[in-house]
Amino acid sequence: MSLKAVHLVFVTLLTALALGCGAWKVRAYCSESGRMTDLVWAGMSFLAAVAVVVYGRYFLKKLKAISFV
């Protein structure tokens, strides 16, 4: 597996993890015992997901000439 393919898998999984954690914290914030820190963590998780996608696009553009195999 090439470095490009590994990065693509890694970026996909990390984005899904960050979005999942963000959704989990939003749900925790909306519960009866929701705290402001839950909302802060949700925002940071969503920002991390955006940052990972931006990194993934940058990396794929940088290695455009290299194949996935």
Side-chain angles (χ1 to χ4, degrees), residues 35-63:
R35 297 177 302 217
M36 184 56 85
T37 56
D38 291 329
L39 191 59
V40 171
W41 280 108
M44 289 180 4
S45 294
F46 291 135
L47 284 176
V50 169
V52 170
V53 168
V54 168
Y55 167 75
R57 291 190 68 197
Y58 164 77
F59 187 82
L60 288 176
K61 281 183 182 179
K62 184 177 177 181
L63 296 181

Side-chain angles (χ1 to χ4, degrees), residues 17 66 68:
L17 178 67
I66 298 176
F68 281 102

Side-chain angles (χ1 to χ4, degrees), residues 3-4 10 15 24 42 44-46 49 52 58 62 64 69:
L3 180 65
K4 190 174 182 180
F10 177 71
T15 303
W24 170 47
M44 289 180 4
S45 294
F46 291 135
V52 170
Y58 164 77
K62 184 177 177 181
K64 188 187 307 186
V69 179

Side-chain angles (χ1 to χ4, degrees), residues 5-23:
V6 169
H7 266 77
L8 185 61
V9 170
F10 177 71
V11 165
T12 303
L13 292 176
L14 191 55
T15 303
L17 178 67
L19 290 174
C21 287

